[in-house]
Amino acid sequence: MIEKKKSWKEIPIGGMITEAGNASKYMTGGWRIFRPEKNKIKCINCLFCWIYCPDSSIIVKDEKMVGFDYEHCKGCGICAKVCPVKCIDMKREEK
Amino acid sequence: MTQVAANPKKTKTKNIPMTGDQAVAYAMKQIEPDVVAAYPITPQTEIVMNFSDYVANGVVKTEMIPVESEHSAMSACVGAAAAGVRTMTATSANGLALMWEIVYIAASTRLPIVMPVVNRALSGPINIHCDHSDTMGTRDSGWIQIYSENAQEAYENTILAVRIAEHKDILLPVMVCQDGFITSHGVEGLELLDEKKVKEFIGEYKPNYSLLDVDKPVTYGPLDLQDYYFEHKRQQSEAMKNALHRIPEVLKEFNKTFGRDYDFIETYKLEDADIAIIALSSTAGTVKFVVDELRQKGLKVGLLKPKIFRPFPKEKIINALKNVKAVAVLDRSESFSAEGGPLYTEIKAALYDSDINPRASNYIYGLGGRDIFPEDIKKVFEDLKNLVAAKKVTSPKVNYIGSRE
């Protein structure tokens, strides 16, 4: 998750970012204290979590919620809060 | 006057009477930047006023943005320069102070904006006349600074500044300073440069990046924290060092094209001088007058005029002072360090790095437009003479010319 930092000679001048959409390279998952996990309650695939997730970290395939992008999920818990059937638990990260 | 300035037909053979402000506006007309965003402030007003005439009369195709404050002027310039176009503004004193936040951002974002600054005392108490407290305050903002002795220099330095700012190894904004009222409103016979040659010299501006280039999208001004901010500051330091090496190339081309002899510094009868004065801008002209007078009496006196103050041409200054026994540094601003003005402390620091050790003293003068007379300068040379003769220095290091005791 930790990339090698570049020297002043290797980066664009003036703080400019010359690559579009590179925010996804910034792994914000390391900030997390609580991690979202699905529990035994059956998910109804309403996709409220997908709509509300501020970091686009809900993975959806074929219109079904299939999991979390833990490299970017900051553990804010919004998904768990908005879930109408309460099938997401927030669990403390072990280390 | 505007009529004369707008009609360059007669300019080839004879001098045209112009004020410093008109001269700079005329340089801007010849440069024809893509965008000018400016707010009028005394004594810079005539630059914006005359340039607005050129825009309104269709003489230039520049997009003129009249803004509601200097903070907005520099912000608009940052936006335009980031969009990848040649951008200029102009200001004075409190206007520069109001820009402050964006002045730093323009430099650190590495945008080659050119800004004529008509030096005026920074409030308070409020005052509209000349001193260098405005630009000296921005000496550490990352801008290149050129100081002009007269309207001719202010005119030519403005043209020169475009090439320096846009140099691929520099890419830093440039301030072109001239003395408020003394130069900006005094009328001089100006030798105008051929417009075609000026346009050829500055060339077409080709930016590396443009905010409007959708095929090569870039982000300007993102948050830059502990992991990379320092590297970007380091790049700025290196760019300023590069400027020391690259500016001579630009000067050489300018000198060749327009028949000039410009360097980082100008010396006047300094080669065999025992005592010398260091002064910026219009006062250098008065010192030359006094040097001529004293030379006729057989006194070995000379002048050193730093033309480019940022980057600081340390080696050139040390070399120029190598035969001098005592030097007086004239500062048209106070830095309130209790150790003298900004030019003085800079010169002293340079001397520490050299093998020479001339006696040096400082004279703060001309604050708020207080006149400096040839008699004042003669007195400084007199002090220097005594300083050389004295075994022990008893006079104060920092003196105040023309301030009533």
Side-chain angles (χ1 to χ4, degrees):
Chain A
M1 215 174 251
I2 297 164
E3 58 170 325
K4 191 179 174 292
K5 301 250 180 355
K6 290 175 177 165
S7 86
W8 62 269
K9 294 173 195 163
E10 298 168 311
I11 54 173
I13 60 167
M16 208 189 315
I17 297 169
T18 54
E19 187 187 353
N22 71 348
S24 62
K25 287 188 180 171
Y26 192 26
M27 303 305 178
T28 49
W31 303 11
R32 199 170 47 239
I33 307 282
F34 293 97
R35 86 195 253 123
E37 278 179 17
K38 275 185 153 186
N39 57 28
K40 284 177 182 165
I41 302 168
K42 196 173 159 48
C43 168
I44 58 172
N45 289 309
C46 67
L47 301 187
F48 268 28
C49 54
W50 176 77
I51 290 167
Y52 280 98
C53 175
D55 284 304
S56 306
S57 294
I58 304 293
I59 303 166
V60 172
K61 268 187 192 147
D62 301 325
E63 296 180 20
K64 284 190 167 62
M65 190 282 196
V66 296
F68 304 94
D69 169 6
Y70 289 116
E71 287 186 336
H72 296 98
C73 166
K74 294 180 191 135
C76 69
I78 289 174
C79 53
K81 186 85 179 168
V82 298
C83 178
V85 294
K86 303 292 166 207
C87 75
I88 301 171
D89 291 335
M90 296 304 292
K91 291 193 176 161
R92 185 170 270 277
E93 287 282 351
E94 310 276 327
K95 262 194 185 177
Chain B
M1 284 306 297
T2 312
Q3 284 303 314
V4 177
N7 178 8
K9 277 178 194 162
K10 297 176 195 162
T11 64
K12 278 176 188 167
T13 51
K14 62 176 184 180
N15 289 356
I16 296 294
M18 276 189 179
T19 65
D21 275 355
Q22 285 171 334
V24 165
Y26 196 80
M28 289 169 73
K29 170 196 116 62
Q30 292 187 317
I31 293 161
E32 200 175 351
D34 300 294
V35 170
V36 169
Y39 189 83
I41 181 167
T42 302
Q44 154 268 33
T45 306
E46 278 200 322
I47 295 177
V48 180
M49 190 183 83
N50 282 289
F51 188 74
S52 299
D53 271 0
Y54 294 129
V55 176
N57 293 339
V59 178
V60 292
K61 294 192 200 83
T62 303
E63 180 77 31
M64 179 92 192
I65 312 175
V67 285
E68 86 290 357
S69 78
E70 284 85 357
H71 190 277
S72 303
M74 189 49 74
S75 298
C77 285
V78 163
V85 297
R86 190 171 271 156
T87 307
M88 291 181 76
T89 182
T91 196
S92 284
N94 297 37
L96 181 60
L98 185 53
M99 282 180 182
W100 211 266
E101 179 189 15
I102 318 298
V103 164
Y104 274 73
I105 290 170
S108 52
T109 314
R110 308 291 300 278
L111 300 169
I113 298 162
V114 172
M115 173 162 69
V117 180
V118 184
N119 283 117
R120 160 184 153 179
L122 196 54
S123 301
I126 194 162
N127 179 296
I128 58 166
H129 291 280
C130 177
D131 73 32
H132 299 160
S133 52
D134 51 1
T135 52
M136 278 300 165
T138 59
R139 68 191 184 279
D140 293 340
S141 64
W143 284 60
I144 286 169
Q145 289 191 337
I146 312 176
Y147 287 83
S148 318
E149 182 182 326
N150 47 41
Q152 187 73 40
E153 279 194 14
Y155 164 66
E156 293 178 8
N157 288 342
T158 307
I159 293 161
L160 193 58
V162 174
R163 280 286 302 274
I164 293 173
E166 292 171 5
H167 194 293
K168 292 281 178 261
D169 295 338
I170 302 175
L171 286 173
L172 290 171
V174 181
M175 287 182 201
V176 183
C177 311
Q178 61 167 303
D179 282 351
F181 288 107
I182 300 162
T183 307
S184 70
H185 287 59
V187 178
E188 259 178 57
L190 230 77
E191 187 195 326
L192 298 172
L193 306 176
D194 179 65
E195 185 146 331
K196 200 167 152 262
K197 274 190 180 170
V198 169
K199 286 211 155 63
E200 270 170 23
F201 173 75
I202 60 169
E204 195 191 333
Y205 176 45
K206 292 187 187 115
N208 285 334
Y209 297 98
S210 161
L211 268 183
L212 302 178
D213 185 354
V214 290
D215 295 325
K216 210 163 84 175
V218 290
T219 300
Y220 275 91
L223 184 68
D224 196 15
L225 299 178
Q226 296 96 323
D227 52 354
Y228 276 108
Y229 177 89
F230 200 165
E231 275 66 30
H232 290 122
K233 288 291 135 185
R234 178 71 189 281
Q235 288 177 334
Q236 260 183 279
S237 310
E238 297 300 323
M240 206 44 111
K241 287 180 206 161
N242 283 347
L244 274 178
H245 303 293
R246 297 290 169 248
I247 289 173
E249 295 167 14
V250 182
L251 285 170
K252 198 177 163 192
E253 203 184 318
F254 186 88
N255 291 343
K256 203 179 148 204
T257 310
F258 300 110
R260 294 290 181 268
D261 190 22
Y262 286 158
D263 202 344
F264 280 91
I265 59 166
E266 184 190 327
T267 58
Y268 189 72
K269 303 191 177 172
L270 190 62
E271 291 71 25
D272 65 336
D274 290 329
I275 50 178
I277 283 178
I278 303 178
L280 298 170
S281 298
S282 69
T283 305
T286 319
V287 176
K288 284 175 189 171
F289 175 79
V290 175
V291 165
D292 283 344
E293 217 177 289
L294 296 181
R295 280 270 172 182
Q296 277 183 357
K297 290 177 186 163
L299 284 162
K300 286 187 168 178
V301 295
L303 162 79
L304 190 159
K305 177 184 84 178
K307 189 179 156 81
I308 297 172
F309 181 68
R310 283 286 182 272
F312 191 71
K314 186 181 80 175
E315 296 300 334
K316 297 245 179 202
I317 288 172
I318 291 171
N319 191 48
L321 294 176
K322 63 180 185 290
N323 299 324
V324 171
K325 294 190 181 99
V327 62
V329 183
L330 270 53
D331 263 297
R332 202 166 194 144
S333 60
E334 242 299 20
S335 70
F336 303 112
S337 64
E339 276 297 325
L343 184 58
Y344 176 58
T345 48
E346 205 87 30
I347 297 280
K348 273 205 301 186
L351 290 173
Y352 188 86
D353 280 350
S354 75
D355 299 329
I356 55 170
N357 190 20
R359 285 181 171 171
S361 56
N362 188 209
Y363 290 82
I364 311 279
Y365 76 99
L367 302 190
R370 177 72 50 89
D371 280 327
I372 182 159
F373 297 100
E375 289 308 314
D376 298 321
I377 291 163
K378 274 183 209 162
K379 173 76 173 45
V380 173
F381 276 127
E382 191 67 29
D383 287 355
L384 283 177
K385 234 171 68 185
N386 295 335
L387 199 59
V388 173
K391 287 202 179 87
K392 212 172 126 195
V393 183
T394 51
S395 59
K397 286 291 237 180
V398 183
N399 307 272
Y400 300 87
I401 302 176
S403 161
R404 292 179 296 275
E405 293 299 329

